[in-house]
Amino acid sequence: MAETKIKQDKICIVGSGLIGKSFAMLFASSGYKVHLYDIQASQVTDALSNIRTQLVDLKEMGLLRGTLTVDQQHSCINGATDLSVAIKGAWFVLECVPERLDLKTSVYRSIDPLLEPSAILGSSASSLVPSLLSKDLKNRNRFIVVHPTNPPFYAPLVELIPAPWTDPDVLPKTKSLCTEIGQAPVVLNKEIDGFVLNRIQYAIIGECWNIVKAGVMSPEDVDKVMSEGLGRRYAFMGPFETAYLNADGWVSYQERYQGMIERVASSFDPFPKIEGPTLQTIHDAFAQQIPLAQLDARRKWRDARLARLSKLKKDMDQ
Ligand SMILES: NC(=O)c1ccc[n+]([C@@H]2O[C@H](COP(=O)([O-])OP(=O)(O)OC[C@H]3O[C@@H](n4cnc5c(N)ncnc54)[C@H](O)[C@@H]3O)[C@@H](O)[C@H]2O)c1
């Protein structure tokens, strides 16, 4: 493995919650100097302590990225309580505050006058399109959405969505940064509400919901269809390659299955309202297995499995 060098290049993260601290760890693993700012000082302190715990866990699992030690990676991350100090000299600023248009745009109003002229302003937004987020900014030509997947350390996909007015150098620079830190960037050539990951996710949720509502299957068994069936393949390839392999390529898939697919798809119900008795049925099914008080423990259970899967994929690809 090539040696990771500690760099002088500075990256600023605004918002030190779940996603902000994950990105801080990812950038630090490549030796970037990260300044982690939050409106609440206690959030930064908590984030720094949680990051150390996570780095130690990653080391124990053999999943620490790069060649820097836990201490070196941790010391690349500085907590910040002054936004202007955090942004000064940063070539990349990543906003990670909650998904509210009013909040994000008010944060940009504070960041905009502080940005270095060639700096990139990224947003970790999950669904808000970049033209809506950046339209009133002086530096709107430096704006790009960098939508991660949770948990970013184990699910490396990042959706990159430039605004219509984003300068041509912003996308390749952001893509190369994401690749450098070990993430898997994909590009949206034009913006669309919800981007791609969430649109696909919501299509799946809609059909799963309708199946439970129609009494066809229990919520637990619907989840098993994904975890023991479709999801097993999707961890390694998407629906296009899956179909390609299920027949002898896509033309053969179309010849064999087009009629069946169109018949089944024409019986789909419209996207459901997420409310009413089905909501309670689905909630209760999972609350029995995972009481709300045990969510953190179950998240650790999930992350441990995703970590093993990351290792398996890494080992098999070597
Ligand atoms: N959590 C996920 O699964 C996930 C996945 C992908 C993308 N995202 C997106 O990432 C963004 C952040 O989500 P999160 O889950 O990290 O949220 P979070 O609630 O965990 O953290 C948000 C942080 O922003 C801080 N904050 C609030 N107002 C601020 C301000 N004015 N200035 C500076 N900091 C401020 C809060 O104190 C908090 O620490 C959202 O846009 C979200 O949609 C989240």
Side-chain angles (χ1 to χ4, degrees):
M1 189 193 292
E3 191 193 342
T4 311
K5 299 244 165 50
I6 295 182
K7 305 174 174 70
Q8 291 313 309
D9 309 57
K10 175 176 167 183
I11 291 181
C12 168
I13 296 179
V14 179
S16 65
L18 182 68
I19 296 301
K21 66 188 173 200
S22 300
F23 269 116
M25 288 169 64
L26 290 166
F27 292 135
S29 72
S30 288
Y32 283 102
K33 287 214 170 308
V34 182
H35 286 240
L36 184 57
Y37 168 84
D38 200 285
I39 194 131
Q40 280 188 55
S42 62
Q43 282 287 105
V44 179
T45 321
D46 290 351
L48 288 172
S49 131
N50 177 267
I51 286 171
R52 177 172 284 285
T53 308
Q54 288 195 60
L55 288 171
V56 169
D57 288 350
L58 286 165
K59 180 163 173 41
E60 278 170 10
M61 289 185 286
L63 285 169
L64 199 62
R65 296 194 190 182
T67 61
L68 298 178
T69 63
V70 165
D71 282 344
Q72 284 173 317
Q73 296 195 24
H74 195 259
S75 66
C76 282
I77 307 172
N78 297 289
T81 45
D82 183 327
L83 186 62
S84 58
V85 173
I87 290 181
K88 193 171 174 45
W91 75 276
F92 197 92
V93 177
L94 184 60
E95 165 275 305
C96 299
V97 306
E99 189 85 1
R100 280 185 13 231
L101 182 61
D102 60 334
L103 176 62
K104 285 193 188 281
T105 49
S106 94
V107 168
Y108 300 153
R109 276 197 292 280
S110 310
I111 295 175
D112 203 14
L114 302 171
L115 273 185
E116 299 291 344
S118 64
I120 294 172
L121 173 56
S123 166
S124 60
S126 294
S127 68
L128 295 167
V129 292
S131 60
L132 197 60
L133 290 167
S134 66
K135 66 183 167 58
D136 297 324
L137 295 180
K138 175 170 70 82
N139 290 297
R140 64 184 200 161
N141 56 315
R142 308 304 296 162
F143 190 86
I144 186 163
V145 167
V146 182
H147 173 226
T149 310
N150 190 42
F153 231 89
Y154 309 117
L157 184 87
V158 182
E159 291 181 284
L160 301 180
I161 311 109
W165 40 75
T166 302
D167 286 344
D169 67 305
V170 171
L171 175 62
K173 282 181 182 155
T174 308
K175 194 173 177 185
S176 119
L177 174 65
C178 290
T179 307
E180 184 191 354
I181 61 172
Q183 300 305 90
V186 291
V187 176
L188 272 72
N189 299 319
K190 52 170 130 168
E191 52 181 37
I192 182 168
D193 193 14
F195 315 143
V196 172
L197 182 143
N198 275 327
R199 290 182 79 90
I200 294 174
Q201 174 166 237
Y202 298 156
I204 292 171
I205 288 178
E207 185 53 18
C208 291
W209 186 282
N210 285 336
I211 282 168
V212 172
K213 187 174 178 195
V216 174
M217 196 180 257
S218 69
E220 298 93 324
D221 275 2
V222 167
D223 259 32
K224 224 183 244 183
V225 169
M226 296 302 294
S227 61
E228 303 297 328
L230 289 172
R232 290 283 175 118
R233 298 190 298 228
Y234 287 172
F236 297 93
M237 67 188 75
F240 290 139
E241 189 179 342
T242 297
Y244 192 81
L245 298 185
N246 276 358
D248 298 316
W250 255 94
V251 174
S252 142
Y253 188 80
Q254 181 265 348
E255 283 164 3
R256 290 188 209 182
Y257 300 119
Q258 181 169 5
M260 178 173 87
I261 294 170
E262 286 180 4
R263 189 192 74 239
V264 173
S266 68
S267 71
F268 283 177
D269 284 331
F271 195 87
K273 282 245 173 255
I274 306 292
E275 60 186 23
T278 308
L279 175 62
Q280 206 55 50
T281 304
I282 295 174
H283 178 85
D284 291 349
F286 288 92
Q288 271 176 16
Q289 302 169 42
I290 315 158
L292 293 180
Q294 289 171 23
L295 283 181
D296 268 343
R298 187 65 175 178
R299 288 184 188 116
K300 286 207 175 89
W301 176 95
R302 174 198 66 190
D303 290 353
R305 276 146 189 81
L306 290 172
R308 291 273 182 93
L309 180 62
S310 297
K311 190 155 166 37
L312 172 72
K313 283 172 76 109
K314 197 169 128 194
D315 291 347
M316 290 198 81
D317 288 344
Q318 259 166 10

